[in-house]
Amino acid sequence: MTETPRATGAPRTPSTLVTGAAGNLGREIVDALHARGVRVRCLDRNPAGARPGVESVVGDLTDPGVLRSALAGIDAVLLMWPMLTAAPAHAMLAQLSAESPTGSEAPRVVYLSSSAVDDGRDRQTDPIVQVHADMEALLSDAGLRPVVLRSETLASNVRGWAEQLRAGDVVAGPDIARTAVVDERDVADAAVTALLSDGAQVGRGPHVLTGPEVLGRADQVAQLGTALGRRLRFEAVPAERARARMLADGRPEALVAALIAASLHRPESGRVTDCVERLVGRAARTFAQWAADHAAEFD
Ligand SMILES: NC(=O)c1ccc[n+]([C@@H]2O[C@H](COP(=O)([O-])OP(=O)(O)OC[C@H]3O[C@@H](n4cnc5c(N)ncnc54)[C@H](OP(=O)(O)O)[C@@H]3O)[C@@H](O)[C@H]2O)c1
């Protein structure tokens, strides 16, 4: 792969790298950039996530060699850190901060964080939020001046219910605190704005991205039922039973512990912000809209 020299005259559209590109949010960001004609490169560890017409680097985000190839010629990076610890981030930070052989500066970094990060706390409520707080601090301490997008619970998480809903009308799982669930397409559009604008236009944030309405699990299940034309019901499962079921499903123990801690300790949030509207220029979508647009996935 060859380096793209940085333009010296008129501003040009940045070349972008999207990490976690095959995931629920990453796919939307890649599609949104590609649709705008922006040069986008995907980094994911699963080759099946590659899409026609989009550059792809396959490998692990924690592998310095993979990152070196992925970052060559890149001006702006959408960084996700879907890990349970920030410890392996040091190699990634070194790659992000390194000057390229052509002397170009470090790329602009947009970090996808969590709305549950509380700047007033020394320790966050659970391990997943702690990782995001640690990553924000590491990126800033490395002098990378990240634009921080703190996302609320993504609507796409309910894809995890599809199997249960093919078998019946009940969604059983650990209850979690009510939040203003946000459509991942809105987070993607906000991320595109942040990637393509300079710092003066969007500021460094943190931008807390929420949907327009505070919802619990039972509300989401009911709204999904309306979209599917079915009467659906949520059944809260006690933490110990949920833990045993996730382990029996083969999920790694550390991930199960982190998910259960989140369900037990993450506080309810009634916060609804206008950050999507400010970054994207239109109102955030409702969860009912998400359910209507994705109903076919639950057939
Ligand atoms: N979901 C939410 O409610 C929410 C809320 C706030 C913030 N966030 C943050 O937003 C990000 C995306 O969330 P999502 O729901 O879209 O997650 P997702 O669907 O699970 O996607 C994560 C993607 O990252 C990839 N990945 C994981 N570990 C990797 C590694 N070591 N190297 C390279 N790629 C790796 C995964 O690949 P594999 O398929 O190979 O695992 C997957 O494609 C995460 O960082 C999450 O912490 C999520």
Side-chain angles (χ1 to χ4, degrees):
M1 207 174 305
T2 52
E3 291 260 332
T4 308
R6 194 168 286 265
T8 49
R12 66 178 175 82
T13 309
S15 294
T16 55
L17 172 68
V18 177
T19 61
N24 284 305
L25 177 57
R27 281 198 303 269
E28 298 293 342
I29 299 173
V30 171
D31 290 348
L33 288 166
H34 190 54
R36 290 175 69 147
V38 174
R39 180 180 171 209
V40 53
R41 183 180 298 154
C42 300
L43 171 57
D44 226 301
R45 53 186 175 184
N46 185 352
R51 356 247 207 287
V54 177
E55 283 179 52
S56 169
V57 171
V58 176
D60 199 291
L61 195 46
T62 58
D63 180 331
V66 168
L67 271 171
R68 203 173 309 119
S69 311
L71 285 167
I74 289 296
D75 307 291
V77 181
L78 190 291
L79 181 65
M80 297 185 197
W81 196 256
M83 257 65 86
L84 292 173
T85 166
H90 292 281
M92 180 272 295
L93 290 170
Q95 290 299 326
L96 272 177
S97 312
E99 269 206 3
S100 81
T102 57
S104 60
E105 346 165 316
R108 172 177 176 72
V109 176
V110 177
Y111 180 64
L112 204 291
S113 184
S114 164
S115 62
V117 172
D118 181 345
D119 294 317
R121 298 177 69 115
D122 285 341
R123 296 298 298 167
Q124 302 297 323
T125 49
D126 60 81
I128 295 173
V129 185
Q130 188 62 51
V131 169
H132 287 301
D134 291 345
M135 288 300 297
E136 288 185 19
L138 284 172
L139 289 162
S140 291
D141 292 350
L144 287 161
R145 301 174 56 78
V147 177
V148 174
L149 303 180
R150 289 183 178 168
S151 171
E152 252 309 348
T153 311
L154 296 175
S156 51
N157 290 355
V158 308
R159 285 189 170 123
W161 298 342
E163 205 174 317
Q164 291 191 68
L165 289 176
R166 281 185 208 109
D169 291 335
V170 177
V171 172
D175 207 356
I176 59 165
R178 288 155 49 85
T179 60
V181 176
V182 64
D183 192 309
E184 65 283 358
R185 295 169 296 182
D186 290 341
V187 177
D189 287 343
V192 169
T193 300
L195 285 165
L196 302 185
S197 317
D198 67 31
Q201 284 169 288
V202 295
R204 290 170 54 202
H207 302 284
V208 178
L209 303 168
T210 76
E213 193 184 5
V214 177
L215 298 172
R217 286 301 208 207
D219 305 317
Q220 285 184 276
V221 170
Q223 291 193 11
L224 189 55
T226 302
L228 302 182
R230 289 164 58 187
R231 209 184 176 83
L232 305 181
R233 186 167 60 79
F234 178 67
E235 186 184 298
V237 169
E240 259 324 298
R241 233 173 76 207
R243 201 178 89 84
R245 183 183 290 180
M246 287 190 243
L247 289 172
D249 285 348
R251 299 223 213 172
E253 206 167 324
L255 175 63
V256 171
L259 292 173
I260 295 295
S263 74
L264 290 174
H265 303 305
R266 212 170 284 181
E268 177 159 322
S269 168
R271 183 171 41 172
V272 172
T273 71
D274 65 354
C275 285
V276 167
E277 183 149 13
R278 281 193 291 106
L279 288 174
V280 176
R282 57 159 178 76
R285 294 171 173 96
T286 60
F287 179 73
Q289 183 67 57
W290 187 96
D293 292 345
H294 296 82
E297 295 178 29
F298 297 86
D299 280 347

